[in-house]
Amino acid sequence: MRFFGPSARKPAARIPAAGKAAPGIPAAGMPSARRLSARLPSARLRIRGRVRLRTQVLLLQCAVVAVTLATAFGAFAYTNEHRLVSEYQLRALAVARTVAAQPAVRRGAAQYSAANSRPGGGAASTPRATLAAGPVQTAAEAARTRTGSLFVVVTDDRGIRLAHPQRAQLGRMVSTDPSGALSGREVLARDHAHLGDEVVAKVPVYAPGSHRVVGEANAGVAVSDVRAQLIRVLLGGLGWLVAALLLGVGASALLARRWKRLTLGLEPEELAGLVQEQEAVLHGIGEGVLAVDNAGTVTVVNDEARRLLAIPARPGRSVASLGLTPRVLETIRTPVGSPVMAAVGERVLVLSARPVERDGQDLGTLLTVQDRTDVESLTRQLDAVQAMSSALRAQRHEFANRLHVVSALVHGGHLAETTEYIGTLLGTGPLGEALPGIDAVRDSYVRAFLSAKAAQARESGVTLVIGGATWADGTVTAPVDVTTVFGNLVDNAIDAARHGARTPSLVEVELMAEGTTLLITVADTGDGIPPGAADDVFREGMSTKDHTSAVGGRGIGLALARQIARVRGGDVHLAEHGGPPEPEAGRRGPSGPYEATASASGQSGAEQGRVSGGAVFVARLPGVMEPGVMEPGATGPGTAVAEAVVAGTVEQEPWSRNRG
């Protein structure tokens, strides 16, 4: 599978003149990808001035096929010529052997060989008429006529012809060397004699009943006959040659047509321009792009995807070997098209996976990745600002109502009632006092965040209290990480307490500083978490809330909090599961939301008792605090507990206490 491949493009009917921008494309100031596109028309103009590459390849392939077939045909002709010559020589040899073995030929050759030893004797002195009527000539001519040979010649042991197709040649010396046959060897040759070019076979003629050579027998075929047969063979092969040539040219044309279809009619210069354009677009966008084929192999990946997913991805690698988080792998394997949030390291990402199909064929999955880390951080801060703004608006309305009462009392002359009412107002009201126990926290950022979360909890009908073991006299050096982890835990606790069956709805937080480490404990009075789901609450995408109410879904808060803590060398875990209240249990007392009887006098969590019943989450964040000492004279509900912590009389890890 390939993504961002070249699309089908037709060359424009009109080519812009040199130095002018193409219509619809600005000449300057445009992105590099568009500048690359603007160069394509000039490339097409250069291509039109010469033969297109696919035509060149077609012609080259046709030439290669033609040369190959011509070479093969030449080898075929050469081989067949030698084969035919050898066949005709063997045919002539068979005729010569047959003639030399006939008794009449052997006797006649022996008689003339013996006559050569007498003066005036031998075949040279014998009249041609006698030789023509002799048994040797008769046997030779019969063999020549029967086999269709060019000639059949018989000689004595001196090479004088005893038989020849032409009567005038009888009694004469043969025109070729007879020594080979007269020495007792069979000879195959291609000679030029008075009858023309001929293929000859020569064999010795032996005396009757002896191995004494008394002559030779020659048989030959005209070379023209051999050539005529060769031409007939080559004409038959030429038909196959033409068929093979047409087949090769047709295959080359089909290949060139397929090439054109695969490249969409683009030339190499245009393809190079498109590749450069793809690289510019793919690596220039601000989103991560990861393409996987249907076999799970990476086909396209840009630098932004490598950075956001923290993977060394390269095309050709299996997606399962990249070390992706389970959330990302699940998104790729089951693409739904809707955005999904995932935490990768310290980053919050929005993933969008879509299946890619073409002509009904599954080509794989395209994953786009967007970074929402900064947006999430700003969202958290904006939530705190909105909570404080809502609290201030409520305080303004409450303060206006109280001023109206004071004004009415003053105008009515009820000075004693006015004095008593003002005294009652001092230090009271929903926002008229500081959050009990907040003086144990020195960092102004965390104090403001606690106040905002307390106001947000009140808007939801939940009371946020600060535990008596709270002691954080240092300043926070990583406020974003602290508020992200702290905010996610508190938000989940407020939501659990608001929907829980226990009343009143409470959330207790404790913060303790140990050097540069901040310990956070968050407990609520909700219905707790089932024991079987203890590990699932930190899994990405796991949430009991409505997933459609937020972009990318829910179930990212606890997973993100744990990842941030683990990146710093800490952790976030569930200390207690909690559970729903029993049907007959009382609303207060040991089985209620407090371990001890609480009063409504604004006591801190330490003085009121422990919030219990729901889930308890504990976070440990190393390296987020700068150690400090509480300013002299700072007192409040948490001071005594803080002094006890310093003195070592109170355990410093909040989750080590029994909350049950």
Side-chain angles (χ1 to χ4, degrees), residues 95-97 99-100 105 152-155 181 201-205 215-219:
V95 173
R97 285 175 178 175
V99 172
V105 174
V152 174
V153 176
V154 179
T155 69
K202 302 177 182 181
V203 298
V205 177
E216 69 166 349
N218 301 342

Side-chain angles (χ1 to χ4, degrees), residues 21-39:
I25 300 179
M30 57 185 173
S32 58
R34 292 194 175 184
R35 284 199 295 269
L36 290 171
S37 300
R39 297 193 189 105

Side-chain angles (χ1 to χ4, degrees), residues 112 115-126 158:
Y112 285 107
N116 286 332
S117 61
R118 298 190 298 270
S125 302
T126 303
R158 292 184 179 180

Side-chain angles (χ1 to χ4, degrees), residues 244-257:
L245 180 62
L246 293 177
L247 181 62
V249 172
S252 300
L254 291 177
L255 181 60
R257 183 178 179 182

Side-chain angles (χ1 to χ4, degrees), residues 609-635:
R610 311 302 310 177
V611 172
S612 63
V616 179
F617 286 90
V618 178
R620 181 174 178 272
L621 300 175
V624 299
M625 297 291 294
E626 182 178 344
V629 179
M630 186 69 74
E631 296 179 1
T635 60

Side-chain angles (χ1 to χ4, degrees), residues 228-595:
Q229 181 63 27
L230 177 62
I231 290 175
R232 288 192 293 271
V233 173
L234 293 182
L235 288 177
L238 185 61
W240 291 104
L241 174 68
V242 173
L245 180 62
L246 293 177
L247 181 62
V249 172
S252 300
L254 291 177
L255 181 60
R257 183 178 179 182
R258 176 171 174 78
W259 185 352
K260 180 180 179 180
R261 185 170 62 254
L262 291 177
T263 60
L264 303 176
L266 299 176
E267 292 299 301
E269 292 84 353
E270 296 173 296
L271 291 175
L274 287 177
V275 171
Q276 294 173 356
E277 180 180 353
Q278 170 187 322
E279 290 295 316
V281 173
L282 186 61
H283 297 285
I285 60 178
E287 296 182 1
V289 177
L290 177 67
V292 182
D293 62 14
N294 53 9
T297 303
V298 176
T299 57
V300 175
V301 60
N302 64 353
D303 296 335
E304 188 68 7
R306 296 189 187 99
R307 184 182 70 86
L308 295 178
L309 298 176
I311 55 174
R314 291 288 183 277
R317 291 191 58 180
S318 172
V319 70
S321 65
L322 299 180
L324 296 171
T325 64
R327 177 76 160 176
V328 178
L329 278 177
E330 181 183 0
T331 303
I332 294 176
R333 289 170 179 171
T334 56
V336 296
S338 58
V340 176
M341 293 187 68
V344 177
E346 295 182 335
R347 300 185 182 276
V348 178
L349 307 179
V350 176
L351 311 176
S352 181
R354 293 178 176 84
V356 179
E357 295 182 357
R358 182 178 181 183
D359 298 332
Q361 181 182 2
D362 180 20
L363 300 181
T365 304
L366 178 64
L367 177 72
T368 57
V369 186
Q370 293 178 323
D371 190 0
R372 281 182 54 94
T373 306
D374 295 338
V375 176
E376 265 317 287
S377 176
L378 292 175
T379 301
R380 290 287 176 187
Q381 299 179 34
L382 181 59
D383 289 342
V385 172
Q386 288 177 341
M388 289 297 296
S389 176
S390 299
L392 289 175
R393 285 197 302 270
Q395 182 181 15
R396 181 176 62 84
H397 287 289
E398 183 66 20
F399 186 68
N401 292 332
R402 293 177 180 183
L403 283 180
H404 290 159
V405 175
V406 172
S407 176
L409 290 174
V410 171
H411 283 85
H414 306 289
L415 297 180
E417 290 81 354
T418 302
T419 303
E420 181 181 358
Y421 184 70
I422 292 176
T424 304
L425 291 180
L426 292 177
T428 62
L431 294 171
E433 61 172 297
L435 185 64
I438 199 172
D439 57 331
V441 180
R442 180 184 180 186
D443 186 81
S444 58
Y445 195 90
V446 178
R447 291 167 67 98
F449 191 74
L450 280 170
S451 299
K453 286 300 176 183
Q456 178 184 345
R458 280 193 294 272
E459 291 291 330
S460 301
V462 179
T463 301
L464 186 144
V465 297
I466 298 179
T470 297
W471 177 254
D473 63 339
T475 57
V476 175
T477 58
V480 175
D481 289 352
V482 171
T483 55
T484 299
V485 175
F486 190 22
N488 277 306
L489 296 179
V490 172
D491 288 345
N492 286 341
I494 292 174
D495 190 73
R498 181 166 61 94
H499 293 93
R502 293 182 177 87
T503 57
S505 300
L506 301 173
V507 172
E508 180 185 4
V509 298
E510 286 184 350
L511 299 98
M512 292 188 63
E514 293 182 346
T516 61
T517 300
L518 180 64
L519 306 174
I520 303 173
T521 304
V522 179
D524 60 69
T525 59
D527 294 337
I529 296 174
D535 295 332
D536 293 336
V537 295
F538 293 101
R539 183 167 56 87
E540 295 176 62
M542 177 63 183
S543 176
T544 59
K545 304 174 185 178
D546 182 10
H547 284 256
T548 63
S549 61
V551 177
R554 293 186 180 273
I556 196 70
L558 290 177
L560 177 62
R562 170 173 275 188
Q563 287 197 17
I564 292 176
R566 288 184 173 179
V567 167
R568 289 190 163 274
D571 200 359
V572 177
H573 68 276
L574 178 63
E576 294 183 13
H577 299 86
E582 297 183 5
E584 301 301 327
R587 293 298 184 180
R588 295 191 180 274
S591 61
Y594 290 102
E595 291 181 2

Side-chain angles (χ1 to χ4, degrees), residues 126-201:
T126 303
R128 290 188 181 91
T130 302
L131 294 175
V136 177
Q137 174 70 6
T138 303
E141 281 299 300
R144 184 185 69 82
T145 304
R146 186 171 59 252
T147 60
S149 300
L150 175 64
F151 64 88
V152 174
V153 176
V154 179
T155 69
D156 60 10
D157 57 354
R158 292 184 179 180
I160 305 299
R161 298 186 182 101
L162 302 178
H164 194 278
Q166 295 179 354
R167 186 172 181 175
Q169 300 296 328
L170 295 175
R172 293 184 178 182
M173 188 71 179
V174 293
S175 58
T176 59
D177 184 14
S179 59
L182 295 178
S183 64
R185 295 182 291 108
E186 293 181 343
V187 179
L188 300 176
R190 182 174 177 175
D191 297 330
H192 180 74
H194 65 280
L195 293 178
D197 292 334
E198 54 193 24
V199 176
V200 182

